[in-house]
Amino acid sequence: MYKKDDYHIRQFQNIYRSTEVFVEWLEEKGFLGGGVRVLDMACGAGANTLWMANRHRDVQFIGVDIDKECIEQGNKVLEQNLKYGNCRLCEGDWFDPELGWVGVFDGIISFQSLLMFPDYREALRKLAVLQPKWIAVSSLFYEGDIEYTNKFRNYYRPSNGQKYTDSYYNIHSTIRFRECVRELGYLNFEYIPYDIDIDLPKPENKDIGTYTVNTSDGRRIQISGGMMMPWYFAVAYK
């Protein structure tokens, strides 16, 4: 059976390769460093937040997640593993942002979460309410004028008294995404595909969880459950 604690603890022990590459890309673009303030939205237990904070002692990080248990779990880990005191985790709701944070953050980053909302446009609007200079996401994209709404029911992960969990693996159009962020005042939009450079094993129980399949030309296709996962890194900025 799926255990949420196992998922988050595993990320503290071994940070995802996608996190490393995404952060390196943002560093190359000049978004991280130099005393900026960053909000990690939907941070889970904060494994990525902690990893970034220990990597960038001159950046202030706040991780926010709606799951109280995740935040409590993550803060216990931070007490033992945060090197520089530049990170904290808070309980909060993406769709009801803390108005005291308006104008506080230079950037907002979110790892692998935007695809899980029925409407990514509304989710982006809520982030824009906080008036960051940039918004960066890792999510699923298609470089064309087609968007996919993919809702699935997972019986491996019971929740809320049900024998299953309903979730989304949506794929955003880069064209429509650019249009959305421009309407929110972010006139610049850049993205790159995440071409993973390591092999990931297939889950033995057939649950969701990204694994790789090697192609004849040496590339790796990422798959989760019964779906190919076109992961991209994207940033919109003013």
Side-chain angles (χ1 to χ4, degrees), residues 31 135 178 181-182 185-190 235-238:
F31 293 104
I135 299 172
R178 182 192 300 272
V181 294
R182 283 182 66 88
Y186 297 86
L187 303 183
N188 303 286
F189 175 58
E190 298 184 42
V235 60
Y237 55 99
K238 296 182 176 180

Side-chain angles (χ1 to χ4, degrees), residues 20-47:
E20 293 179 320
V21 178
F22 185 21
V23 170
E24 288 169 0
W25 182 64
L26 292 175
E27 291 168 350
E28 292 172 2
K29 293 292 180 181
F31 293 104
L32 292 176
V36 300
R37 295 157 296 180
V38 176
L39 171 64
D40 182 5
M41 183 61 84
C43 69

Side-chain angles (χ1 to χ4, degrees), residues 77-91:
V77 177
L78 256 65
E79 290 177 4
Q80 302 297 322
N81 295 279
L82 181 62
K83 297 178 181 178
Y84 308 116
N86 59 330
C87 175
R88 61 188 177 95
L89 306 180
C90 304
E91 183 182 356

Side-chain angles (χ1 to χ4, degrees), residues 170-205:
N170 292 333
I171 303 175
H172 327 303
S173 160
T174 55
I175 295 172
R176 298 297 160 178
F177 198 95
R178 182 192 300 272
E179 180 182 85
C180 178
V181 294
R182 283 182 66 88
E183 291 174 354
L184 295 173
Y186 297 86
L187 303 183
N188 303 286
F189 175 58
E190 298 184 42
Y191 60 86
I192 59 169
Y194 171 43
D195 293 322
I196 190 170
D197 56 358
I198 60 173
D199 295 324
L200 299 177
K202 186 175 183 179
E204 295 182 0
N205 64 353

Side-chain angles (χ1 to χ4, degrees), residues 41 93-97 117-119 122-124 126:
M41 183 61 84
D93 187 345
W94 185 316
F95 290 88
D96 187 19
F117 297 124
D119 181 3
E122 181 60 22
L124 288 174
K126 292 300 184 180

Side-chain angles (χ1 to χ4, degrees), residues 30-75:
F31 293 104
L32 292 176
V36 300
R37 295 157 296 180
V38 176
L39 171 64
D40 182 5
M41 183 61 84
C43 69
N48 291 334
T49 326
L50 172 63
W51 184 82
M52 290 189 294
N54 284 339
R55 184 180 176 93
H56 288 281
R57 64 183 303 170
D58 61 340
V59 176
Q60 293 293 321
F61 291 93
I62 293 181
V64 173
D65 198 274
I66 198 170
D67 191 318
K68 181 179 180 180
E69 291 183 6
C70 279
I71 294 300
E72 291 176 348
Q73 177 189 41
N75 276 321

